[in-house]
Amino acid sequence: MAASHFQFFLFLVLVTLATLIVIPTTHAKLSPTYYNKVCPKALTTIKSVVQRAIARERRIGASLLRLHFHDCFVNGCDASVLLDDTPSFVGEKTSFPNNNSLRGFDVVDEIKAAVDKACKRPVVSCADILAVAARDSVAILGGQKYWYQVLLGRRDARNASWDAANNNLPPPFFNFTQLLGLFQGHGLNLKDLVVLSGAHTIGATQCAVFRDRIYNDTNIDPTFASNLRSICPQTGGDDTNLAPLDSTPNRFDTVFYTSLLYKKGLLHSDQELFKGNGSASDKLVQLYSRNSNAFAADFGPSVIKMGNIKPLTGINGEIRSSCRKVNNS
Ligand code: HEM
Ligand SMILES: *[C@@H]1O[C@H](CO)[C@@H](O)[C@H](O)[C@H]1NC(C)=O
Ligand SMILES: *[C@@H]1O[C@H](CO)[C@@H](O)[C@H](O)[C@H]1NC(C)=O
Ligand SMILES: *[C@@H]1O[C@H](CO)[C@@H](O)[C@H](O)[C@H]1NC(C)=O
Ligand SMILES: *[C@@H]1O[C@H](CO)[C@@H](O)[C@H](O)[C@H]1NC(C)=O
Ligand SMILES: *[C@@H]1O[C@H](CO)[C@@H](O)[C@H](O)[C@H]1NC(C)=O
């Protein structure tokens, strides 16, 4: 009896050890201190380039945040979004959601050059650069209360997929059910959908994207719609004319949510988050519109969750030398 108890005890010890050893290597987790030893200057270097870029043009902060989102939703946060087309694959840059719309690639190149110089060799992945640049943009445009700790240690993909970009990014004409379904497919929930859509508190969108909403939607403030119609005619070649996503596009704040209460969401998909019938989504929009601390407390955790989508770690992927192309190509 005593011997079999001991054997069972030994078995438990072995199972525990095996779990401790195997799980971290197969599900290698991201860590906030990943670059502390190998390149202690990495994060401050990224931040200073982001700061300079935003000083040149405030909107670039929004563009950098969107890049991280469009990276993570398409085969995970692996910098696939940054790859130029090659003879062997058509990349994500020309997919419908991204073509003539994504911006900030030149700033990413600038960050990459600065960080490789500071670290004296390429040790920081392009996927991590996107995650850090997104966080820094939010904290610069919103203030310290929107700062959150970024998890690091992602590696970069060696290919990209035009089809995956078309199939995994939400279009602005989606209804609430469709938006939620797509987010759930990425392991995100209703709260994440409402919180992450709050990113539309900064940046701008093109006439071609919001034309249907301002001419055809009924859940829109008439004065708001009519003002927008002057910069976005129903027909004609003004598809790229820009309008701000909320009335304070250079400030990361809660005005986006307040706009939804007044049917002043610019994207059809944004207004889908608030219908005014007391849904769970409505309640979150109301909460964030009146409580910026609640929004600030929830934004970081939801971005971190998004940043954990299928990262390449360990021996998978690589640390690119140029964010635009895979190594040895
Ligand atoms: C919920 C579904 C979403 C839809 C349907 C959507 C769609 C769009 C569209 C159509 C634009 C304008 C593109 C253009 O006119 O060129 C845009 C801009 C933007 N999106 Fe989203 N988006 C969504 C969620 C998100 C999320 C989760 C984030 C980040 C966490 C984000 C960040 C941004 C930012 C910052 C901009 C402005 C970019 C700039 O000014 O360069 N979006 N989005
Ligand atoms: C992307 O935009 C360019 C114009 O800048 C256009 O020529 C090209 O056909 C577009 N690609 C796709 C796949 O829509
Ligand atoms: C990317 O690589 C994976 C694994 O090698 C492969 O299955 C997939 O088809 C590749 N995708 C593209 C677009 O080349
Ligand atoms: C949302 O769109 C889907 C697909 O077009 C449609 O089947 C569904 O009925 C729509 N849901 C609502 C609530 O309008
Ligand atoms: C609005 O709806 C009408 C009728 O369905 C359609 O013909 C038109 O293309 C839509 N978009 C705009 C911008 O008017
Ligand atoms: C609110 O309205 C939407 C459609 O407009 C519907 O799908 C949803 O179930 C409604 N929610 C409540 C709580 O009535």
Side-chain angles (χ1 to χ4, degrees), residues 10-26:
L10 209 64
F11 171 76
L12 278 185
V13 170
L14 286 175
V15 167
T16 311
L17 277 177
T19 311
L20 285 174
I21 292 164
V22 171
I23 286 190
T25 47
T26 50

Side-chain angles (χ1 to χ4, degrees), residues 89 159-161:
F89 63 78
N159 70 16
S161 165

Side-chain angles (χ1 to χ4, degrees), residues 96-322:
F96 295 108
N98 292 342
N99 201 25
N100 305 310
S101 178
L102 279 188
R103 343 174 39 250
F105 297 112
D106 44 349
V107 177
V108 173
D109 292 340
E110 214 183 310
I111 295 172
K112 177 65 174 164
V115 91
D116 283 357
K117 192 175 170 207
C119 304
K120 300 192 174 68
R121 61 213 158 91
V123 290
V124 179
S125 68
C126 299
D128 280 347
I129 286 175
L130 292 182
V132 175
R135 186 274 311 276
D136 291 343
S137 297
V138 167
I140 291 166
L141 295 173
Q144 195 61 23
K145 80 173 175 185
Y146 288 101
W147 188 90
Y148 54 90
Q149 195 166 48
V150 182
L151 299 183
L152 301 164
R154 300 171 189 81
R155 291 164 63 83
D156 300 325
R158 288 189 50 85
N159 70 16
S161 165
W162 186 81
D163 284 323
N166 285 327
N167 293 328
N168 286 288
L169 291 165
F173 51 80
F174 261 19
N175 65 33
F176 182 81
T177 313
Q178 293 171 304
L179 291 168
L180 182 59
L182 189 110
F183 271 63
Q184 285 173 336
H186 288 98
L188 301 170
N189 60 29
L190 186 149
K191 183 175 172 182
D192 298 317
L193 167 63
V194 177
V195 171
L196 290 170
S197 297
H200 291 168
T201 175
I202 52 175
T205 182
Q206 306 178 50
C207 166
V209 167
F210 62 83
R211 186 181 277 130
D212 273 347
R213 168 149 174 77
I214 62 174
Y215 290 98
N216 283 348
D217 279 3
T218 51
N219 61 346
I220 187 168
D221 176 87
T223 310
F224 177 69
S226 130
N227 288 338
L228 288 162
R229 285 175 191 154
S230 65
I231 63 158
C232 186
Q234 193 153 19
T235 54
D238 305 275
D239 284 6
T240 60
N241 283 1
L242 289 176
L245 280 160
D246 77 2
S247 58
T248 57
N250 293 325
R251 216 166 308 154
F252 199 92
D253 57 20
T254 57
V255 170
F256 167 78
Y257 292 107
T258 309
S259 311
L260 299 184
L261 301 181
Y262 296 98
K263 301 184 181 172
K264 292 179 181 176
L266 182 52
L267 300 186
H268 173 83
S269 50
D270 289 339
Q271 196 62 56
E272 282 294 300
L273 304 176
F274 186 82
K275 301 277 182 56
N277 66 359
S279 66
S281 178
D282 279 9
K283 291 201 174 93
L284 284 168
V285 170
Q286 283 164 327
L287 168 67
Y288 298 137
S289 80
R290 62 167 190 266
N291 186 342
S292 63
N293 291 329
F295 178 46
D298 291 347
F299 189 74
S302 281
V303 182
I304 289 166
K305 214 166 145 185
M306 180 177 86
N308 279 330
I309 299 176
K310 280 173 38 190
L312 296 171
T313 56
I315 58 163
N316 297 122
E318 63 184 14
I319 306 297
R320 269 179 224 151
S321 294
S322 158

